[in-house]
């Protein structure tokens, strides 16, 4: 049975898409039953092309990437989310979405790479992908099947501090 992880941001065009792509990539490579999803509270309707480019360059399949509203995951037929991760930047006064009801929640904030100057965007997106990818690799290596929600919460908080 898959463990479903929802990664939330405001616009679902960059950071949450990077996280979804990287977690699904690592889960597949490690043979883990983890399915990442991403969504936004006010989705932009498009995925940032820089996000797609750096994911593709890293060998991540981006064919299904799209900007989604979190409403999709609040429907009765949506899979239950065991983990919800917010990736918005509270330091930049971005409103982070709140997701009620998930047993395990954590905030891993990242600065928005789309706010970098145009000539630095590609590098900003790649650095953000690497930072997110490292945490998603740590997440994918957890033994979800044997961990209680409290143990999983502690593990996610430890990843945040590493």
């Amino acid at each position: 049975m898959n463990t479903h992880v929802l990664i939330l941001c405001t616009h679902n065009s960059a950071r949450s898409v990077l996280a979804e792509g990287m977690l699904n990539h690592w889960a597949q490579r490690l043979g883990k039953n983890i399915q990442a999803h991403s969504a936004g509270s006010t989705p932009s309707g498009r995925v940032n092309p820089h996000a797609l480019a750096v994911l593709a360059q890293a060998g991540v399949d981006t064919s299904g990437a799209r900007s989604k509203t979190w409403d999709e995951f609040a429907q009765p037929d949506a899979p239950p989310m065991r983990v919800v991760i917010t990736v918005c930047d509270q330091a930049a006064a971005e409103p982070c979405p709140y997701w009620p009801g998930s047993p395990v929640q954590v905030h891993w904030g990242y600065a928005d790479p789309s706010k970098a100057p145009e000539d630095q965007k590609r590098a900003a997106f790649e650095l953000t992908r690497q930072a997110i990818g490292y945490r998603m690799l740590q997440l994918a290596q957890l033994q979800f099947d044997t961990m209680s929600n409290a143990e999983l919460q502690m593990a996610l908080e430890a990843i945040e501090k590493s």
Side-chain angles (χ1 to χ4, degrees), residues 5 22 25 28-29 33 35 38-39 45 50 52-54 66 69 75 81 83 91 93 106 117 123 133 152-153 159-160:
V5 177
M22 290 308 301
H25 175 76
Q28 182 181 23
R29 297 262 322 254
N33 291 324
Q35 178 66 50
S38 69
H50 293 290
L52 295 174
V54 298
R66 64 184 178 84
T69 176
Q75 300 301 317
M81 299 298 155
V83 176
V106 69
L152 183 54
Q153 182 73 48
I159 289 171
E160 177 184 4

Side-chain angles (χ1 to χ4, degrees), residues 99-117:
W99 186 264
S102 231
V104 180
Q105 298 188 30
V106 69
H107 175 74
W108 292 343
Y110 299 92
D112 187 351
S114 63
K115 294 188 177 178

Side-chain angles (χ1 to χ4, degrees), residues 113-136:
S114 63
K115 294 188 177 178
E118 195 57 44
D119 64 334
Q120 297 172 26
K121 275 194 200 302
R122 178 70 176 222
F125 271 84
E126 176 56 19
L127 289 171
T128 303
R129 185 203 63 78
Q130 289 176 19
I132 288 172
Y134 178 66
R135 280 189 177 159
M136 293 302 140

Side-chain angles (χ1 to χ4, degrees), residues 27-48:
Q28 182 181 23
R29 297 262 322 254
L30 297 171
K32 298 292 190 125
N33 291 324
I34 303 167
Q35 178 66 50
H37 311 273
S38 69
S41 55
T42 56
S44 67
R46 70 173 189 87
V47 174
N48 190 301

Side-chain angles (χ1 to χ4, degrees), residues 9-13 39-46 67-71 95 97:
C9 201
T10 309
H11 302 295
N12 191 224
S13 63
S41 55
T42 56
S44 67
R46 70 173 189 87
S67 181
K68 302 172 285 295
T69 176
W70 63 357
D71 294 342

